[in-house]
Amino acid sequence: MSSAQRREQLISVARRAFAERGFEATSVEDIAARAKVSKPVVYEHFGGKEGLYAVVVDREVRALLDRITRALTGGHPRVLVEQAALALLDYIEEDTDGFRVLVRDSPVMSDSGNFTSVLNDVAHQAEGILGKEFEERGFDPKLAELYSQALVGMVALTGRWWLDARRPKKEVVAAHLVNLAWNGLSNLETAPDKLMPE
């Protein structure tokens, strides 16, 4: 096996191990045993568990962001919300191990390259879309960031639930997410904080 092939094998084995057990519960010994290599081989390629985990997570982050970006093909903002929701649910269905790696525990020193950073990137994309929509409707475009975080959070938490539930079908889940988000958004008050009792 060439060095590049061995590296890919270790990444694949580690991805499964991190998905099944999480970062903390997976050891270099586990990965080496699954790959049928010695521990020094893992250290030689990645410097340790943290280095290997970083490579696995980086690949998953890029895969998920690419999938969501490709799914956002334009059209009405309602369609964009549905496209983003379906892209996440597709990823969960087709790359379950990858999604589990992203949502499981991560090293304390990791503040990027995890599911939260992916959600922030997606929310940033949504913020641009919502900002334009808010301007056209006379809402404060500065609030687009708040609403994009809320929308992405709603979809992400539903995705985590659907990871294990797998019912109803992803198209139905996406339709209900859009129903909640869109029908709520279509009736937004321009200043909801002014309506709250003091």
Side-chain angles (χ1 to χ4, degrees):
M1 189 177 285
S2 72
S3 179
Q5 289 170 324
R6 176 68 70 200
R7 181 177 169 81
E8 289 304 313
Q9 178 210 22
L10 290 170
I11 292 168
S12 176
V13 165
R15 182 180 187 259
R16 274 191 309 277
F18 290 135
E20 291 168 11
R21 305 188 71 210
F23 176 80
E24 293 298 330
T26 301
S27 68
V28 171
E29 291 84 3
D30 296 334
I31 294 164
R34 288 177 184 221
K36 296 181 175 45
V37 298
S38 64
K39 286 185 346 186
V41 172
V42 177
Y43 287 109
E44 175 187 325
H45 284 276
F46 301 100
K49 180 172 78 165
E50 291 80 5
L52 181 50
Y53 182 80
V55 170
V56 170
V57 169
D58 182 62
R59 285 187 177 192
E60 293 308 321
V61 166
R62 281 188 282 122
L64 179 53
L65 280 176
D66 288 349
R67 187 183 287 260
I68 291 171
T69 302
R70 280 193 317 269
L72 298 175
T73 58
H76 193 276
R78 179 184 177 129
V79 173
L80 290 170
V81 172
E82 186 169 12
Q83 289 169 343
L86 269 173
L88 177 62
L89 295 170
D90 282 342
Y91 176 75
I92 292 168
E93 182 176 67
E94 296 165 15
D95 292 307
T96 302
D97 280 352
F99 186 73
R100 286 189 193 282
V101 167
L102 292 178
V103 299
R104 282 194 184 264
D105 59 347
S106 61
V108 175
M109 70 276 201
S110 174
D111 61 350
S112 64
N114 55 31
F115 193 54
T116 301
S117 69
V118 173
L119 295 182
N120 286 332
D121 287 346
V122 173
H124 184 68
Q125 290 182 29
E127 182 183 343
I129 295 163
L130 285 178
K132 290 177 197 166
E133 203 52 31
F134 277 27
E135 282 182 30
E136 290 175 14
R137 293 176 182 229
F139 300 138
D140 182 355
K142 288 184 242 163
L143 292 173
E145 181 179 12
L146 181 151
Y147 282 94
S148 68
Q149 291 288 335
L151 277 171
V152 170
M154 177 180 72
V155 173
L157 283 175
T158 304
R160 286 185 80 163
W161 162 78
W162 191 75
L163 172 66
D164 294 319
R166 300 292 172 119
R167 273 188 248 130
K169 293 189 330 187
K170 66 184 174 193
E171 294 80 8
V172 173
V173 173
H176 282 278
L177 283 168
V178 171
N179 182 39
L180 174 62
W182 189 254
N183 287 324
L185 291 173
S186 65
N187 294 311
L188 284 179
E189 297 288 340
T190 56
D193 51 322
K194 304 289 189 261
L195 301 174
M196 301 204 39
E198 302 209 15

